């Protein structure tokens, strides 16, 4: 859902934490994360200091958008969010989505319609409100119960109001007397400063000497004092719901003696941190999960529409978005001023500017005609994630022919950041805007896999040359459509199967150049475990580790043999029931009688180098170790090539050079495109073979080759 924001709420606790973490220097980060330091040192040994610095910079330099609670008007809706319509007022949640920005795009499960009678200002409290609602649900309170709320900041004040709406009696506690007074004004039945000597007696009197039925901790402190106090206030067998980020030294004797239940309240409810729920819009059935994060957001807005909750009364500061820094000065303590809820307000009439110009000074000798031979290559980059920032952009910048014209990513923020850092002149979040620019004649596609084929086809149809990251496509139909676009448009379609451009791979190939007999090739890959939440394992965006990487190895074997495989037979490793294939063993049969096998495992020990290729045939053996060393043995003589210090070169710079050569007219590359397409087809057919449990023949004609 594309939304033009009217208001966004600054959530003091969370945002202060993010802003402070962002200010930590490299040294502080290194001190806090020794595991990352170790990984960085390993990488420096393997890939060289220069490449490591680029990779670390790319990681550390990722901007974080602030804000996660806002409200505004719907501009456009995607095909699966039909419950919304343009012009409707909605409230939105979610880190990285509901940002402090004029325009935001949110997935449907993080967006709710604002009911009648709720202002956009009140609706912008939706996320923080849902956090309060969820904290109350976790405490499992009932009508008439007495509940303490420790910490009367924004979430605490809203919790007081939600508890009142739920028919509870509320006892508020805060270090700050002003906040205590405010809670009393906003409906708390009683409220006492934390340091008041008679606090425990007041609480006892409030609960008729029974102890509080529940305690909700909404404080934000590294101290465990709130948890200790909660234990003292609670009655026997009460619930303590911890909403705020507090110290967790639980005083066992108190909690044991009263058999208290300590429950942690996670953000705004069920669905949080679940990509399928939040990003892919898959809801939980209401019969089993009555209160999801989205339904909590709705519940909060309904309470606001009936007037039992009045978020507006919590607003202490309201800034136009252009003055947002003033709000953060208060938040960080640079300006000393009491505050509770600070909101940013957005201009209503601003028109979306889709491709933003980033001031980089004059452009050096812009490229000329889009398709003809040209010395200067105008590059448009689609997707500036980890790989593009650490590998592709440095390689492009290292070649005098490329002019970095524009960059487009999923979010405008990342695009602008990449543009500023690397010297692109334009930044945006829609690749069509980039394709419309006449000064872009080469488009580099480095998004996640599901967008590869479609964006590359769009670029070709717009008259651009294309460098497409691997894999070329996730399905055979996508590959066919892409090749159709390539044949019709006539531009260059280069694919990032970089290993065939590695210097040691060229030596290996030369070693068998005169061969008369078939080769036997064995490629062993020891990847190490992939994080469970890696996008590569997502069936929609990534398609699994095997698809993501095995295409590289299929392509290298294909290139070394000099023919595409004609038949593949593959078996997956690991669970047959997992949605994607991460591990597997594939056998490739080539028309000259050569046979290749690829063993791709994510379950090994990462201390063993990742890749080893052994090629045997024609009286020789060649062993390529992780693109660091090549050992050649023939007629009893052994030769070793490669870097003594263990420097790895997988051919990334050389492939970018080859692409720029092609675009500047040196090479039409038609044979390479055909090769890359057949390597892709063979990888997709290996996955089919795993499903069908039988060998699969490759038929190039099915993709029009
Ligand atoms: N050849 C190799 O050796 C090698 C090695 C590693 C990776 N790769 C490949 O490189 C590609 C990127 O991987 P990665 O690890 O860099 O992924 P990543 O960090 O997730 O980056 C993906 C990029 O795509 C952008 N994006 C998302 N949706 C978009 C859209 N609709 N239009 C334009 N851009 C969009 C993202 O934008 P935001 O930043 O705004 O979200 C992000 O910049 C993958 O194809 C991967 O297989 C190749």
């Amino acid at each position: 859902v594309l939304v033009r924001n009217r208001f966004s709420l600054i959530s003091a606790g969370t945002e202060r934490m993010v802003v402070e973490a962002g200010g930590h220097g490299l040294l502080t980060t290194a001190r806090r994360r020794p595991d990352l330091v170790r990984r960085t040192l390993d990488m420096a040994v393997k890939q060289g200091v220069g490449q490591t610095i680029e990779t670390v910079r790319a990681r550390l330099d990722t901007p974080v958008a602030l804000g996660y609670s806002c409200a505004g008007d719907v501009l456009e809706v995607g095909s699966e969010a039909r419950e919304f319509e343009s012009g409707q007022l909605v409230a939105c949640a979610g880190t990285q989505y509901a940002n402090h920005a004029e325009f935001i795009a949110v997935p449907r499960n993080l967006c709710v319609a604002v009911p009648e009678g709720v202002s956009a200002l009140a609706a912008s409290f939706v996320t923080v409100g849902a956090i309060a609602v969820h904290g109350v649900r976790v405490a499992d309170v009932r009508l008439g119960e007495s509940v303490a709320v420790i910490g009367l900041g924004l979430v605490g004040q809203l919790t007081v109001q939600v508890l009142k709406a739920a028919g509870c009696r509320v006892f508020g506690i805060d270090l700050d007397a002003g906040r205590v007074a405010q809670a009393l004004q906003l409906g708390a039945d009683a409220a006492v400063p934390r340091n008041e000597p008679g606090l425990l007696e007041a609480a006892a009197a409030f609960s008729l000497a029974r102890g509080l039925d529940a305690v909700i901790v909404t404080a934000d402190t590294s101290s465990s004092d709130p948890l200790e106090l909660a234990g003292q206030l609670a009655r026997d067998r009460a619930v303590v719901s911890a909403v705020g980020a507090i110290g967790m030294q639980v005083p066992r004797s108190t909690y044991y003696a009263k058999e208290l239940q300590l429950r942690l309240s996670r953000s705004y409810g069920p669905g949080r941190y679940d990509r399928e729920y939040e990003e892919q819009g898959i809801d939980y059935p209401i019969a089993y999960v009555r209160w999801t994060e989205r339904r909590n957001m709705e519940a909060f807005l309904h309470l606001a529409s009936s007037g039992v909750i009045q978020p507006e009364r919590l607003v202490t500061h309201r800034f136009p978005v252009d003055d947002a820094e003033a709000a953060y000065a208060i938040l960080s303590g640079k300006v000393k001023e009491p505050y509770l809820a600070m909101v940013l307000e957005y201009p209503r009439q601003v028109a979306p500017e889709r491709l933003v110009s980033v001031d980089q000074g004059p452009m050096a000798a812009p490229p000329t005609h889009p398709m003809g031979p040209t010395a200067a290559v105008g590059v448009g980059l689609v997707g500036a994630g980890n790989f593009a920032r650490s590998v592709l952009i440095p390689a492009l910048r290292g070649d005098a022919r490329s002019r970095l014209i524009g960059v487009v990513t999923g979010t405008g923020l990342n695009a602008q950041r990449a543009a500023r850092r690397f010297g692109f002149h334009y930044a945006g979040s829609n690749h069509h805007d980039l394709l419309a620019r006449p000064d872009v004649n080469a488009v580099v596609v480095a998004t996640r896999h599901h967008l590869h084929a479609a964006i590359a086809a769009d670029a070709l149809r717009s008259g651009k040359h294309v460098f497409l990251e691997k894999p070329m496509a996730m399905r055979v139909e996508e590959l066919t459509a892409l090749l159709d676009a390539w044949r019709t448009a006539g531009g260059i379609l280069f694919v990032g199967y970089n290993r065939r451009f590695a210097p040691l791979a060229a030596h290996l190939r030369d070693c068998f150049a005169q061969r008369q007999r078939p080769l036997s090739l064995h490629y062993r890959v020891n990847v190490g475990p992939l994080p469970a939440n890696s996008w590569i394992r997502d069936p929609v965006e990534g398609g699994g580790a095997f698809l993501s990487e095995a295409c590289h190895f299929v392509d290298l074997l294909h290139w070394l043999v000099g023919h595409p495989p004609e038949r593949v037979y593959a078996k997956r490793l690991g669970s047959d029931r997992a949605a994607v294939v991460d591990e597997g063993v594939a056998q490739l049969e080539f028309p000259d009688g050569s046979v290749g096998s690829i063993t791709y495992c994510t379950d090994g020990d990462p201390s063993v180098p990742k890749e080893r290729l052994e090629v045997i045939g024609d009286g020789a053996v060649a062993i390529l170790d992780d693109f660091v060393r090549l050992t050649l043995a023939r007629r009893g003589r052994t030769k070793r090539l490669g870097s003594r210090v263990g420097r790895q070169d997988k051919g990334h710079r050389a492939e970018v050079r080859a692409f720029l050569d092609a675009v500047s007219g040196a090479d039409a590359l038609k044979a390479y495109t055909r090769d890359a397409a057949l390597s892709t087809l063979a990888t997709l057919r290996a996955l089919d073979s795993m499903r069908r449990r039988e060998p699969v023949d490759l038929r190039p004609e099915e993709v029009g080759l």
Side-chain angles (χ1 to χ4, degrees):
V1 186
L2 183 65
V3 177
R4 182 204 299 269
N5 261 343
R6 288 206 216 167
F7 290 97
S8 63
L9 175 72
I10 295 181
S11 169
T14 313
E15 294 194 31
R16 200 182 314 109
M17 215 151 65
V18 176
V19 170
E20 278 171 9
H24 289 157
L26 199 58
L27 219 58
T28 317
T29 310
R31 242 185 261 124
R32 282 165 187 241
R33 296 292 306 272
D35 56 322
L36 291 184
V37 175
R38 260 191 311 277
R39 265 171 50 194
T40 308
L41 292 176
D42 286 351
M43 192 191 290
V45 170
K46 212 181 230 178
Q47 300 183 358
V49 176
Q51 176 66 59
T52 306
I53 289 175
E54 286 297 346
T55 307
V56 170
R57 260 209 206 125
R59 297 257 168 176
L60 288 180
D61 208 25
T62 308
V64 178
L66 291 171
Y68 63 83
S69 190
C70 60
D73 304 301
V74 173
L75 289 181
E76 287 172 34
V77 292
S79 59
E80 288 176 35
R82 290 291 175 214
E83 66 267 43
F84 299 102
E85 55 188 38
S86 119
Q88 186 179 16
L89 180 62
V90 289
C92 309
T95 311
Q96 302 295 320
Y97 295 112
N99 302 329
H100 302 306
E102 286 93 340
F103 299 93
I104 57 162
V106 273
R108 62 188 291 211
N109 275 349
L110 294 172
C111 185
V112 287
V114 175
E116 282 290 306
V118 180
S119 68
L121 176 61
S124 72
F125 280 65
V126 71
T127 313
V128 183
I131 292 172
V133 168
H134 185 58
V136 170
R137 293 196 197 292
V138 168
D140 198 16
V141 295
R142 306 291 153 103
L143 184 71
E145 288 186 343
S146 304
V147 184
V149 177
I150 303 178
L152 297 170
L154 186 52
V155 180
Q157 299 286 353
L158 288 168
T159 303
V160 169
Q161 296 190 33
V162 173
L163 284 167
K164 286 306 295 172
C168 296
R169 298 176 63 239
V170 184
F171 186 88
I173 301 162
D174 196 285
L175 287 168
D176 183 308
R179 293 198 166 172
V180 167
Q182 194 166 18
L184 285 169
Q185 279 164 22
L186 291 168
D189 299 282
V192 178
R194 168 66 183 103
N195 297 326
E196 179 125 331
L199 166 64
L200 293 181
E201 290 74 19
F206 182 78
S207 66
L208 310 177
R210 294 169 184 147
L212 276 302
D213 294 299
V215 183
I216 302 180
V217 184
T218 44
D220 177 20
T221 168
S222 55
S223 152
S224 298
D225 175 68
L227 214 56
E228 288 165 22
L229 178 62
Q232 290 170 331
L233 298 175
R235 69 160 160 78
D236 231 46
R237 309 195 68 230
V239 172
V240 175
S241 162
V243 177
I246 48 166
M248 292 299 287
Q249 299 297 321
V250 183
R252 184 181 181 276
S253 53
T254 319
Y255 277 66
Y256 173 79
K258 293 186 177 177
E259 203 178 38
L260 298 179
Q261 290 187 47
L262 172 59
R263 300 181 186 171
L264 269 77
S265 174
R266 187 174 62 187
S267 206
Y268 23 113
R272 190 74 186 101
Y273 307 114
D274 175 351
R275 286 186 62 194
E276 289 189 359
Y277 178 87
E278 292 195 331
E279 292 175 17
Q280 293 167 18
I282 300 170
D283 199 1
Y284 303 129
I286 193 162
Y288 296 93
V289 188
R290 174 62 185 91
W291 294 109
T292 57
E293 56 185 320
R294 189 192 205 190
R295 296 196 267 266
N296 278 339
M297 290 160 68
E298 277 168 2
F300 173 76
L301 292 180
H302 284 133
L303 290 172
S305 85
S306 64
V308 290
I309 288 188
Q310 296 170 333
E312 288 103 330
R313 292 181 64 190
L314 302 174
V315 176
T316 53
H317 295 79
R318 192 167 156 165
F319 295 99
V321 67
D322 287 343
D323 296 339
E325 276 184 61
Y328 286 92
I330 296 173
L331 193 74
S332 65
K334 274 190 210 136
V335 172
K336 303 251 175 285
E337 224 172 88
Y339 65 90
L340 190 59
M342 297 196 274
V343 288
L344 302 180
E345 188 171 3
Y346 298 83
R348 297 285 288 278
Q349 298 313 326
V350 60
E353 196 184 342
R354 307 199 85 124
L355 203 59
V356 180
S357 165
V358 180
D359 186 17
Q360 305 281 7
M363 202 183 297
T368 46
H369 188 268
M371 296 295 282
T374 161
V377 179
V379 176
L381 174 66
V382 184
N386 287 327
F387 183 67
R389 289 199 307 265
S390 55
V391 177
L392 294 178
I393 301 177
L396 286 163
R397 291 213 308 180
D399 192 304
R401 291 167 294 180
S402 62
R403 305 274 176 278
L404 303 185
I405 308 284
V407 54
V408 163
T409 74
T411 53
L413 176 70
N414 285 349
Q416 274 207 36
R417 183 72 177 178
R420 291 219 160 86
R421 173 145 181 242
F422 296 108
F424 289 90
H425 293 261
Y426 299 93
S429 56
N430 185 327
H431 68 275
H432 290 288
D433 301 324
L434 201 58
L435 301 185
R437 289 200 65 87
D439 49 0
V440 168
N441 56 357
V443 171
V444 175
V445 182
T447 60
R448 295 180 176 182
H449 305 154
H450 62 310
L451 302 173
H452 282 185
I455 292 180
D458 283 348
L460 287 164
R461 279 192 291 265
S462 306
K464 313 297 180 190
H465 300 301
V466 173
F467 177 111
L468 172 60
E469 250 321 314
K470 56 80 197 171
M472 258 175 116
M474 291 181 71
R475 277 175 293 280
V476 174
E477 310 78 67
E478 271 179 14
L479 180 62
T480 312
L482 171 59
L483 291 172
D484 278 350
W486 170 60
R487 270 185 300 265
T488 317
I492 287 162
L493 174 56
F494 187 97
V495 182
Y497 290 141
N498 49 280
R499 280 163 178 74
R500 62 161 72 197
F501 295 93
L504 290 181
H507 283 298
L508 198 166
R509 193 181 196 229
D510 287 349
C511 174
F512 296 99
Q514 309 300 326
R515 75 186 169 91
Q516 303 294 325
R517 307 222 309 272
L519 293 176
S520 149
L521 311 100
H522 179 224
Y523 211 126
R524 187 276 293 147
V525 192
N526 168 44
V527 190
L530 268 186
N533 61 355
S534 160
W535 65 265
I536 291 172
R537 306 179 84 171
D538 183 279
V540 176
E541 293 190 333
F546 188 88
L547 170 65
S548 174
E549 277 214 294
C551 52
H552 273 310
F553 317 123
V554 171
D555 184 66
L556 188 64
L557 299 193
H558 168 180
W559 180 70
L560 289 172
V561 172
H563 303 280
E566 55 182 9
R567 168 180 280 215
V568 292
Y569 185 29
K571 170 100 182 71
R572 79 186 280 184
L573 298 167
S575 161
D576 267 358
R577 294 171 61 190
V580 292
V581 178
D582 283 332
E583 302 183 275
V585 178
Q587 177 173 302
L588 312 176
E589 294 175 17
F590 295 90
D592 68 346
S594 296
V595 178
S597 77
I598 297 166
T599 302
Y600 186 82
C601 297
T602 59
D603 200 21
D605 182 335
S607 67
V608 172
K610 184 181 162 211
E611 297 176 29
R612 173 172 250 226
L613 169 62
E614 291 185 357
V615 182
I616 304 179
D618 221 36
V621 175
I623 303 171
L624 178 57
D625 278 305
D626 221 16
F627 292 87
V628 172
R629 217 163 291 109
L630 177 66
T631 310
L632 300 169
R634 190 186 286 278
R635 287 186 218 99
R637 295 182 55 175
T638 303
K639 195 160 90 179
R640 284 197 178 79
L641 295 167
S643 153
R644 286 221 176 87
V645 287
R647 185 73 42 82
Q648 191 177 50
D649 185 347
K650 291 196 205 167
H652 291 114
R653 280 189 184 262
E655 70 168 350
V656 168
R657 215 177 307 121
F659 173 63
L660 294 174
D661 283 348
V663 176
S664 27
D667 184 356
L669 276 184
K670 286 216 173 336
Y672 176 52
T673 307
R674 194 174 181 281
D675 270 13
L678 292 174
S679 298
T680 310
L681 181 63
T683 312
L684 294 170
R685 289 303 179 222
L687 289 164
D688 283 344
S689 166
M690 291 177 188
R691 272 186 290 269
R692 288 160 50 180
R693 296 169 188 270
E694 60 183 20
V696 177
D697 290 335
L698 237 72
R699 293 186 298 108
E701 61 280 10
E702 67 182 312
V703 290
L705 292 176

